[in-house]
């Protein structure tokens, strides 16, 4: 499995030079951290900026999962990694995720040394669960392509917040097990893109997103098939 190619999809908004460099540094980090696993890096970019990898621009209103679905539609490998643009990948992260896939899991998260260690111990083990920020690290999720097809694509009924929550509910409903790989390290740099917005804007946005998430749950679990 070490000759496997990962389709790595980064969602980016390079609305400033700092945010452009954030995405650029994530790409550079990816290109230097691994040797035995191949990467097909795709950036789904909100602005007109381009990168040294395939860059997809879009003309629809920003929606995090829609951006990911767009990137997924432009790739074809069996393994997909859904990513924020503010990540630091450590040595062997992909190889260790492949071990989890070889055990039969189809949805996995890597471990963040900053965030995950508050909840779970480091080490060469996997822990199953669907808790957001604990088992499902929304900033980086590795998934088999057939999972995306099975759940009907990532739910686009939320715009940004709760995108990972609704994914967790989608796979839990489909009875697809998820686990965090506690020695595959991908560290999240604390939502630097979002934090560039004023606090009052983020607060209002969060409240609105919670309403959308509640409506999405009703649709997911109560809608007639």
């Amino acid at each position: 499995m070490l000759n496997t190619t990962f389709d790595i999809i980064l969602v980016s908004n390079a609305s400033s030079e700092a945010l452009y460099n954030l995405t650029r540094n994530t790409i550079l980090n990816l290109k230097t951290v691994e040797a035995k696993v191949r990467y097909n890096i795709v950036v789904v970019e909100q602005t007109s900026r381009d990168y040294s990898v395939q860059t997809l621009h879009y003309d629809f209103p920003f929606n995090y999962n829609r951006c990911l679905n767009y990137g997924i539609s432009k790739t074809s490998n069996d393994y997909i990694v859904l990513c924020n643009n503010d990540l630091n990948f450590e040595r062997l992260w992909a190889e260790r995720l492949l071990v989890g896939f070889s055990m039969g899991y189809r949805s996995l998260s890597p471990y963040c040394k900053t965030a995950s260690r508050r909840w779970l111990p480091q080490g060469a083990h996997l822990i199953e669960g669907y808790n957001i920020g604990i088992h499902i690290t929304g900033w980086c999720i590795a998934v088999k392509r057939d999972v995306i097809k099975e759940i009907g694509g990532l739910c686009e009924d939320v715009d940004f917040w709760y995108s990972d929550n609704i994914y967790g509910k989608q796979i839990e409903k489909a009875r697809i097990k998820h686990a965090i790989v506690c020695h595959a390290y991908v560290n999240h740099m604390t939502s630097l893109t979002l934090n560039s917005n004023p606090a009052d804007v983020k607060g209002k946005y969060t409240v609105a997103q919670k309403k959308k998430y509640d409506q999405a749950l009703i649709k997911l679990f109560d809608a007639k098939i």
Side-chain angles (χ1 to χ4, degrees), residues 55-70:
T55 307
L56 303 176
H57 304 283
Y58 58 92
D59 58 4
F60 50 81
F62 174 75
N63 178 294
Y64 188 77
N65 279 347
R66 188 174 182 184
C67 288
L68 290 173
N69 282 331
Y70 183 45

Side-chain angles (χ1 to χ4, degrees), residues 5 30 35-36 81 86 131 137 145 153 167 181 188 194 201 207:
T5 299
L30 272 167
K36 295 182 180 180
V81 188
D86 53 354
N131 292 318
T137 54
R145 184 171 295 272
Y167 168 75
V181 183
H188 185 215
L194 179 66
V201 172
V207 171

Side-chain angles (χ1 to χ4, degrees), residues 1 3-9 37-40 71-82 94 97-98 100-102 104-108 141-150 167 176:
M1 295 182 69
N3 291 322
T4 300
T5 299
F6 280 8
D7 285 327
I8 298 180
I9 302 172
V37 176
R38 293 189 297 266
Y39 302 142
N40 173 44
I72 291 168
S73 73
K74 299 298 183 181
T75 59
S76 60
N77 289 297
D78 288 339
Y79 298 93
I80 307 168
V81 188
L82 310 171
L97 288 179
L98 279 175
F101 284 125
S102 72
Y105 290 97
R106 294 191 291 153
S107 180
L108 296 167
I141 298 170
V143 61
K144 293 287 295 291
R145 184 171 295 272
D146 60 0
V147 167
I148 302 299
K149 182 177 180 180
E150 187 171 336
Y167 168 75
I176 297 168

Side-chain angles (χ1 to χ4, degrees), residues 57-192:
H57 304 283
Y58 58 92
D59 58 4
F60 50 81
F62 174 75
N63 178 294
Y64 188 77
N65 279 347
R66 188 174 182 184
C67 288
L68 290 173
N69 282 331
Y70 183 45
I72 291 168
S73 73
K74 299 298 183 181
T75 59
S76 60
N77 289 297
D78 288 339
Y79 298 93
I80 307 168
V81 188
L82 310 171
C83 296
N84 284 17
N85 65 327
D86 53 354
L87 301 175
N88 177 266
F89 299 80
E90 293 196 14
R91 183 175 175 271
L92 301 178
W93 74 276
E95 293 179 18
R96 289 169 177 170
L97 288 179
L98 279 175
V99 172
F101 284 125
S102 72
M103 296 168 61
Y105 290 97
R106 294 191 291 153
S107 180
L108 296 167
S109 285
Y111 186 102
C112 174
K113 289 181 178 177
T114 301
S116 301
R117 69 179 181 181
R118 291 180 296 176
W119 311 105
L120 303 172
Q122 292 178 232
H125 53 270
L126 287 75
I127 301 176
E128 291 184 10
Y130 298 99
N131 292 318
I132 303 304
I134 301 176
H135 307 103
I136 297 178
T137 54
W139 51 88
C140 185
I141 298 170
V143 61
K144 293 287 295 291
R145 184 171 295 272
D146 60 0
V147 167
I148 302 299
K149 182 177 180 180
E150 187 171 336
I151 65 176
L154 302 171
C155 178
E156 300 176 8
D157 291 342
V158 293
D159 295 333
F160 182 70
W161 286 124
Y162 303 100
S163 296
D164 46 2
N165 299 70
I166 200 67
Y167 168 75
K169 294 299 184 183
Q170 284 183 283
I171 60 171
E172 187 174 8
K173 180 183 178 183
R175 298 182 179 180
I176 297 168
K177 290 183 179 180
H178 178 90
I180 183 170
V181 183
C182 295
H183 66 318
Y185 302 122
V186 178
N187 300 306
H188 185 215
M189 298 167 65
T190 62
S191 302
L192 292 182

